[in-house]
Amino acid sequence: MVVPEEFDFEKLDDLSFALDRGKKVDKLPRMQASDISPVAELFHYREKLSSTDFLLGNGQKFFNALASEMVSWSDPIGRSSGFLRASLSDAERELAQVKFQLETQKAAVESGFHKSIAVQFAATVGEFFDNIIEHSESRATGFVAYQGMENKFEIVASDEGIGVLASLKSASEFSSLCDHGSALNLVLTDGVSRFGSSSGRGRGFRPIFVGLANLKGRLRFRTGDHALTMDGKSINKLEASLSQKPEISGFTISVNCDNPYLQ
């Protein structure tokens, strides 16, 4: 029996480069999609895909749910994954956001994480959700999502808005920025935001990511034609790298953490 390969970011990048070159990819081998993070990024390429039948497992359910018109979704089996769209009206948003953050926290605890870490995950989801509404200029395209598995937890935030480069360039001090990679590096610096460094906005963003990376976290930030990854392979050891990718719209953040209390 042939065991399907895992659909991960490496497979996603190979597929996205093929799609960017206009290559037909309608006969892909079946792949196990255990993680939702690469599937969430794959959603940006949905109009170039003839089918996603090559995906197996949780990822296929997640992709199909995203392709529907549901504003919120949770996996009916176990409720270990779900998403919430930012298209909600302001009147609906507050209650729905609180409910979703509580669902995130509950899923993290049930996945084996200490409550203090689960609370951190829930707060991160809230921060990401607010960021989509405040900065994307296309909240209707945005969503936050989570997935919990045994001693493993994922958080995703994605939109198809103006992206990090255009957002930062709206501030006069960053108007000379000319590439997405530089914009990604800047946005992870404390005090940097579209409102300018003198506004006092944008603080606290990087500590969130460093804290998540230190939870044996693997983080991927995707905007324009670049991806930046941060990898906390062990506590207090953080590595980051920047690489060029096919261009997409908006901003996607993927967080994948292992339980730090396990050796």
Side-chain angles (χ1 to χ4, degrees):
M1 181 179 176
V2 178
V3 178
E5 291 188 88
E6 188 70 30
F7 183 70
D8 53 17
F9 281 120
E10 183 177 354
K11 297 289 192 306
L12 169 68
D13 288 340
D14 290 343
L15 176 57
S16 65
F17 277 114
L19 291 170
D20 192 56
R21 294 193 298 268
K23 185 177 178 180
K24 288 187 176 181
V25 290
D26 53 349
K27 292 184 178 180
L28 291 169
R30 306 296 291 276
M31 285 181 271
Q32 184 69 29
S34 301
D35 294 344
I36 62 170
S37 301
V39 176
E41 196 172 311
L42 177 69
F43 195 66
H44 284 266
Y45 300 95
R46 61 192 178 278
E47 294 182 358
K48 294 183 178 182
L49 291 168
S50 57
S51 171
T52 58
D53 289 345
F54 65 93
L55 294 175
L56 302 170
N58 298 340
Q60 178 63 267
K61 290 189 294 182
F62 180 72
F63 190 100
N64 290 342
L66 279 177
S68 74
E69 296 182 357
M70 289 186 288
V71 174
S72 63
W73 172 82
S74 60
D75 190 336
I77 303 175
R79 299 187 180 277
S80 60
S81 60
F83 67 70
L84 177 67
R85 297 190 196 274
S87 56
L88 292 163
S89 67
D90 289 336
E92 300 170 309
R93 179 169 64 89
E94 185 174 355
L95 183 60
Q97 184 174 346
V98 169
K99 181 175 179 290
F100 189 76
Q101 287 180 244
L102 289 173
E103 290 173 359
T104 302
Q105 181 178 323
K106 182 174 183 288
V109 170
E110 291 177 348
S111 299
F113 288 81
H114 190 275
K115 184 178 179 180
S116 61
I117 297 176
V119 169
Q120 182 180 348
F121 289 153
T124 299
V125 164
E127 183 78 19
F128 288 175
F129 195 76
D130 291 340
N131 188 67
I132 291 171
I133 292 169
E134 188 170 17
H135 297 289
S136 72
E137 295 192 10
S138 184
R139 60 188 286 178
T141 68
F143 66 87
V144 289
Y146 69 85
Q147 176 171 267
M149 292 184 281
E150 185 175 1
N151 293 310
K152 180 179 176 180
F153 204 76
E154 291 180 87
I155 299 171
V156 177
S158 182
D159 68 72
E160 297 178 2
I162 61 173
V164 173
L165 178 60
S167 179
L168 289 181
K169 282 173 68 71
S170 64
S172 59
E173 65 186 289
F174 304 126
S175 60
S176 62
L177 274 176
C178 58
D179 71 274
H180 297 283
S182 297
L184 269 176
N185 275 319
L186 265 177
V187 82
L188 298 180
T189 303
D190 274 351
V192 171
S193 82
R194 67 187 300 185
F195 303 106
S197 56
S198 62
S199 69
R201 306 284 291 275
R203 304 193 183 278
F205 207 38
R206 179 174 172 81
I208 289 174
F209 296 135
V210 172
L212 290 168
N214 282 336
L215 292 174
K216 297 183 180 179
R218 297 167 297 283
L219 286 68
R220 174 168 161 126
F221 307 88
R222 187 76 166 82
T223 190
D225 61 354
H226 274 78
L228 187 148
T229 59
M230 297 170 66
D231 191 352
K233 295 180 179 179
S234 61
I235 300 298
N236 297 323
K237 181 180 180 182
L238 184 65
E239 297 178 357
S241 64
L242 189 69
S243 55
Q244 195 156 12
K245 308 294 180 187
E247 187 156 354
I248 61 173
S249 59
F251 188 28
T252 296
I253 306 170
S254 302
V255 179
N256 196 317
C257 291
D258 297 328
N259 194 329
Y261 296 110
L262 298 179
Q263 297 297 322

